[in-house]
Each structure stands twice: as structure tokens, then as C-alpha cells.
Amino acid sequence: MGTKRPLDSSGEQTGRERKRQKIKDAREIQTVLSSSATVVPASALKPLPSSIDVVKFVEARAFEITSMQTAMKTTKNAASSRVWQSLPRHLRRRAASHNSRRVPVRLREKAKKEMDPAKRKLLKALIAKAGKYKRLTRTETLQKRQRNKRWLETHIWHAKRMKMENIWGYRLVSHLLPRIPACVEPNEALHPTERSMRPSHRAAVHGCILHDSSYMAIIELKGELLVLKRVLLRVCGPLGISATAARFTNGSRICYAEMYEDASYPFGFISPVQVIWEPRTSSSKHTKPTGGPKSTETETQQGSQKTTDDNRRIWLRLHPMSYEKASRALTNAVMSVLELERLAGNPSVAVEIADLRDHFCCFDLIGPKSSQVIHGALVLDKLQNEEQKKHFWSRLATLRTPAGCSRGMIIGLHVHDPRLTFPPKNAQIDEQNEQQLFVITPTPALATSQLWSEQVRTNLQKPRFTKQDLDGRRSKQLVPGTPLVPLRQDDRVPLLMMQRSLEPPASTALEEHEYNGPVMHGWTVITPFGWGMAFLSSLIFTGSRVGGLREVKSQALESGMPHFPDDFSGTLFGDESQQGRGMAAKAKWDRTPPAKRPSYTSLGTISPFSPDWVGICGVTADPTREEGFAGTQRANKTPVKPWLFYGQNTKSIVVELIAAEDPSVTLLDSLNSARGIRELPKLELAASDVLKGALILVRVEMIDRGVPTDMSIIYGLETTDGASNPSPNEIVGYITSGGMSLSRGKGFGIGTISLAKLLTFIKRQEYRTHRGLTLLIRESHGEIFRKALIEIV
């Protein structure tokens, strides 16, 4: 009978023989041998010495013991694990077993022995190659993967380091990964995820954290100044400073407002919006473009200097989730204004609406060192002759914190290609000149930028030189590592810098901020599309931390600000977000065994997964109501649904309601007065229905112990001692975002409560404006009621 397997005539060992040899080598125990040892006859042996060298004897025995322990460990590892399994978790890679260069040098020889070249060769032979005409380029392959979602320009960089998720039509960063040490290669220092928020919070408070917000939608309106003002008055909230104020229309500051459906205030809330006006200056007509070699004299006439004093342009920057709704609201408002102009005898008036969602790259930098990061990463174009901008750039390096700048100030700059000066170095604060105040005032001349020119943005969509070209120029320099000298043909990139503060806006221009909680400050940098990776690499190289959506929400919570859309209850997108999270929580609860999940029926939790605003407010929703109708339409037929009362003057109006005899009538009069300022008709609704459906946002701070979590229930407190637990009928609201506040050292959250029930409980006990109202908080899966202070946002 022949052998089952033919003998290998090549002389190579089989896999079984290699494994045996490997275990045999691992079992060898080294011993100390004398290099001068010689064989002597037995007659020449001398008696044992009367004394020995203790140090040498102990060293010899220690070496033998260590060798035995090493042999035992290597034998066990050789039989049950491979080289890459002995590495720490942050050094392990899925491809390490196929490439010995991906393991440390000390283990590469062992890794090569563990590799099986025959299997690797066979695997390559079995993989079918596509035909010559069926092969896709890398660009086509990446575009094919973006059919049902969009990728940001920095997607590949983030995908290698972050936890990604599909949301709002984009593939965005969800979780943050640990910061990469400068001495370690990026491929060798990443974890699958990071659960702690302390490093990100520390960077936002003491350093700098960056977030790519290029997914934010931008809508452009172009038309006559008076017509654009009337359009904004119909869709923006009337409380507080108007977006049509002179301090905003000159283009020197950004306005933070709330967008509603056309003439529907206070109903039909869409989302918060940032309004940016194109700056107008007398000297802007003579400003030359600096967009690089592609700029021509024609671009000078097509840029931000093209329009006359009456023809203006504005950008509305808002959340991508609300783009379609906001676009329809603006279209309806424009049609209404144009109809009024036609009736007034101006049929030639026109307004252009443009979608600029793929025209910009935006980066949000938060932290006191964000100014030094920007100054160190970018180099101002020396051909820029504006002395005011040069003075600002020189003072930016010495700015201790962006809080020293005017709120919302806008700066337009032209910088060189940041890749020319890579790697950057953060600017250092001059301690000798630290006492000098930052006294630069926002002006239209400081805010001018060619980023408003569509022709300039189009010419700069693709950098003139690739990274390979710049590396070739860098390799020819005599001194390695020196920055490249900008040439005439190099690109000059226009950008906008906007001061950003996470704090409640003041109600009037001269009002001081009453909010005493922690505040975070930073900058928002807007660049043309196509320059995302060039700016990202320079902005994060000097130690800036990169954050995702989780970090953005945490920053808003630490600053005591509501986060859109999660915290905006009573709105279309806020309710949609809460329902989505509730469905995910319900699905997880259903998958959990009954013995391992809370029994909400026994706990008395009526709505554990999503807030029941209809039941709390005591209103009935009408499913036949159509969206998009103004507040005065069908007023007698449709009951009021839960709506969010939100704006800059909300707190002052609530204080007036407390002292009023009939709060419902006072609230309706305040709303009609605000609508009258915007030339909108009065609301023909019952005052009691308006108050019954009103919801307001509040800050919740625990007094002693306890941490409020999402979907924690807010109860009214009938007595100040809180001895008895309240009943489910005394629920006034829910916590929409909560957790442990690292800046306060206690539990903190953002919640929504019924305005009518709040006024009822305020009259039962003393209302302390310096601390807030005392209410009770209970987690949806808990039984303990804890006291908390409530403050109106």
C-alpha cells in the first residue's frame, strides 16, 4: 500500500515540522558556560574551595532562573499565540500577520518565520483580476460608495481614526479617537473608540479642539437691500436684535437668529440660523483679487465688489437637516415680498436663491489656544495691502483667548497655501506685551473677502500644485526642513474667520449677559471647497484635538446651550430626532431579557422612550392640519399643538408672565406685539390655547447628588421640603440632554417643560431669580426623586 501523501522532494519542512522545531527551540534553556573551560584529568582535580565569590554565584543562578522562566513563557506562547498577539492592543493590526514590517523591529524575525509564503502565493493566484476595460479608478470607486450619502472632503482622514455613522445625508464623525502622540506613527496609535470625554473637555477649556463642520448648509440670497430685509423679517424670530440691524447689515458681524416658516411666528420653528451679510466699503471697488494665477481682471468685477449699494448678498448658514424646509420657507417669503412689491408698482424687483452646500469647507476651533493654532498654521499674503488686517494678524498671535474679541466679529483674509510652510508651529504669546488689550473693532473693511466671489471659488476648487509637486520643490532645498518660499504662481486662498462663543446672546446691544455658567470661545474658519485636507493637516499638526458630533454636543451641554435638533422639543426636527432616539431605545429594551431590563410599568413611567408633550400640555393634535400655514389661517378650526417658545427675550417675558394677573392674555399680547414690529397680522387664537401648548427650554442643575440623564422626568414640587413623592399627573417636562458636567462638578442637563405648569408651580413657592426654581428629577428607570434648580434658557 502506498503512502497517503507523496514525499516532498524539495527538502522543505512541512507546517507540522516547523511548529515542532519552533516549540523545541523555545524550550531550550541557556546556561552560563566559561569560554576558557578545558578538560582536565580526574587526578588533577583539587578539593572544593573553602570560599566562593557570592556575587558571581548569585549572578549565575539568577541567569539560569531567568532563562528557565523565559523558556516556559516562550514555549507557551509558541504553542498558542502568534507574534502579533503579544503586542499591546493599540499596536495590533488586521494586516500585521501578512506584513512583517507592521510589527516592531524586535519581533520581525519571529513574524517572518510564522508567515506561510505558499499560502500567500496561492491566495493571490485565486483572486480574479478585472478586465482592462472594467477596472475602476480610485476616484470612481470612491464616488460609487457615495450613492446614498455624501462624504466630506476630509472623510478618508476621519474614517481611519474615527467612528463614522450615516446621518443627515452625510457620512459624519460620531466618536473621537485618542490623540496621536507626535513620536508615534498614526497607524500605530489608534484605538477603536474612546469612551472618556475628559481629554476633549480639557482641550476645549485649556487647549484647542477642531471639528469639521463642512456639512452645514449655506443658502445665498441676492437682491435689493430693502427687499432682503423684508424677507428676513418674515422668516426670522422677532425677539432680540434683528438680523436687519445696522450692526449686521454692514457685514462686520455675524447674526445668530431663529428661522420660522413664512409669517408663522411663534409656530413653525425650523432651526437656528447664522446670517452673514456681504460687507460693503467705499474702497472695495479698487481691491484686486489674490486668488492665485487663475485670477483675472474679470474676477475683480464679478467678486464681492460687483454689486451696487442697493444690490446686496447674504448667506444663511443652518443645519443640514433643515435645509429643505428652510429653502421652502425662503421661497414662500420671497414670493410674498415680490407680490407686495408688484402691487406697489415695482414689478422688476427680483431675488436670487442659490444652494452653496458644496462650495465651502468649514472648521470650528474651540479653546483658548485656537488663535495661536490659526496664526501658526497660516501665513498672511504679503501682497495684501490692508493695514487693518495686518494689524489684526499681528495681534492675533498675542490673544490669550478668543473671548477678548468682539462677539461674532468677521475677518476676511488671504493666506498662502498652508502646505508651503508645513509643518507649522504654534504662535507663542509674548509675555512682555501680554498686558496690551485687544482693541480691534469690527469694521466692514476688516470683513471684506474674495470668498464671496463665485468665480474665485471656482478657480480655487483644485489646488494648482499637488503634494507631489511641493515635495519635489522641498527636496531641492539646500537646508532640509525649511519652509518653501511662496512663488508668484502659488495659490492665494481667501477665507473668513468668525468669532464664536457658546453662550446665550444678549437681548439688546447694551445688555450684559446674565448667564454666569462656563462659556467656551473659538473661531470658525471658512475656506473654498477643495482645500479641506490642506488646512486640516496644518491646523491639527501642532496638537489640536479633533472632535466629532459627540464632542460638539458635549460642548453645548457644558456651556448651558441647547443642541439642535436633540434639545428643541416642540419643533418639527426636534420631535423627529427624539422619536428616532426613542425607537432605538425601544428596540434595545425589547431585545433585553425581562429579568435584565427595567419594568417601566412598576416604576410608573408612562413614556420612557420619547417625551409625551401632548399629554403634558393637555392639548389634542389634529392629524388633518397641513404644514406651512401661517398662525392666522384656520385659527378657529385647528387646536394649538405643542410649540417651542424660544428666543433672546424669552426669560424677560416669562418674568412678566409671573407678575401678570392673566398670563395667557399677557403672552398673547407679547406675541402679537412682536409680530406687529415685523408687520405681520395678529394671531386670532384663544389665549388659553396658546399658553397651554407653550414649551420652554431650561437648564437643570442638581443641588446635591444625582446625575440627570436623557429622558429623566421633571416633576413639580408642591412643598419646599419635598417629603412626599409627586404623582405622574405632576410631570412638567423631560430632560433631553443630561450628564455629569465636568466644568461644574455635578449633574447638569438641558430640559423642556410646559410654560403653563411652570407658572402654576412658581406661584406656589418663592421664585428666586438668582438661583432658579426648585423642582424634582427622577430617571425613567429609577425610583429616587432628587431636587434640582431650574433656570430658563
Side-chain angles (χ1 to χ4, degrees), residues 420-548:
L420 299 176
T421 56
F422 190 86
K425 294 182 180 179
N426 285 351
Q428 301 296 329
I429 298 179
D430 189 1
E431 301 295 341
Q432 297 180 357
N433 300 328
E434 184 183 358
Q435 302 299 329
Q436 298 181 6
L437 297 178
F438 191 88
V439 292
I440 298 180
T441 306
T443 60
L446 187 62
T448 56
S449 174
Q450 290 189 3
L451 194 64
W452 289 89
S453 172
E454 183 179 359
Q455 185 65 29
V456 172
R457 296 196 304 265
T458 303
N459 292 339
L460 289 172
Q461 278 189 354
K462 186 176 182 180
R464 181 179 179 85
F465 297 103
T466 63
K467 185 177 182 298
Q468 183 180 3
D469 299 335
L470 298 180
D471 291 341
R473 290 170 51 182
R474 192 174 287 110
S475 64
K476 298 178 182 179
Q477 290 190 319
L478 298 178
V479 181
T482 56
L484 296 177
V485 178
L487 303 179
R488 181 185 58 85
Q489 59 269 26
D490 287 329
D491 292 320
R492 273 73 173 174
V493 186
L495 57 85
L496 287 179
M497 288 180 55
M498 299 181 295
Q499 196 275 347
R500 182 167 178 258
S501 296
L502 297 178
E503 64 178 353
S507 301
T508 61
L510 302 178
E511 180 185 353
E512 296 183 358
H513 296 277
E514 300 179 358
Y515 176 64
N516 298 324
V519 179
M520 297 182 183
H521 307 273
W523 297 94
T524 297
V525 179
I526 302 180
T527 66
F529 185 81
W531 291 86
M533 280 306 305
F535 279 82
L536 178 68
S537 301
S538 297
L539 291 174
I540 67 175
F541 184 81
T542 53
S544 300
R545 195 172 181 84
V546 183

Side-chain angles (χ1 to χ4, degrees), residues 736-758:
T736 53
S737 296
M740 184 65 183
S741 175
L742 299 177
S743 57
R744 298 172 178 84
K746 60 175 65 176
F748 183 80
I750 299 294
T752 308
I753 60 178
S754 171
L755 177 58
K757 292 189 176 182
L758 174 66

Side-chain angles (χ1 to χ4, degrees), residues 231-238 258-270 325 328-330 332-333 336 570 625-633 640-641 643-644 671-672 674-675 678-685 690:
V231 171
L232 291 181
L233 291 177
R234 294 182 65 90
V235 297
C236 292
E258 301 83 34
M259 177 173 284
Y260 294 82
E261 296 180 5
D262 180 29
S264 298
Y265 177 84
F267 311 111
F269 182 92
I270 298 178
K325 195 75 172 180
R328 289 196 297 267
L330 289 173
N332 295 336
S336 300
R625 180 177 181 179
E626 301 180 8
E627 297 290 342
F629 286 92
T632 57
Q633 296 173 315
V640 177
K641 299 190 302 182
W643 59 278
L644 182 64
L671 297 178
N672 286 330
R675 291 176 59 89
R678 302 298 175 90
E679 299 180 355
L680 300 178
K682 294 184 178 181
L683 296 173
E684 298 179 0
L685 297 172
V690 175

Side-chain angles (χ1 to χ4, degrees), residues 700-709 712 739-741 744-749 771 774-779 784-789:
V700 180
E701 183 175 346
M702 305 304 294
I703 296 179
D704 296 321
R705 300 177 59 184
V707 176
T709 58
S712 294
M740 184 65 183
S741 175
R744 298 172 178 84
K746 60 175 65 176
F748 183 80
R771 295 194 66 187
T774 303
L775 296 178
L776 293 180
I777 306 295
R778 181 180 73 87
E779 291 184 297
I784 303 177
F785 294 81
R786 300 187 185 276
K787 291 185 179 181
L789 295 177

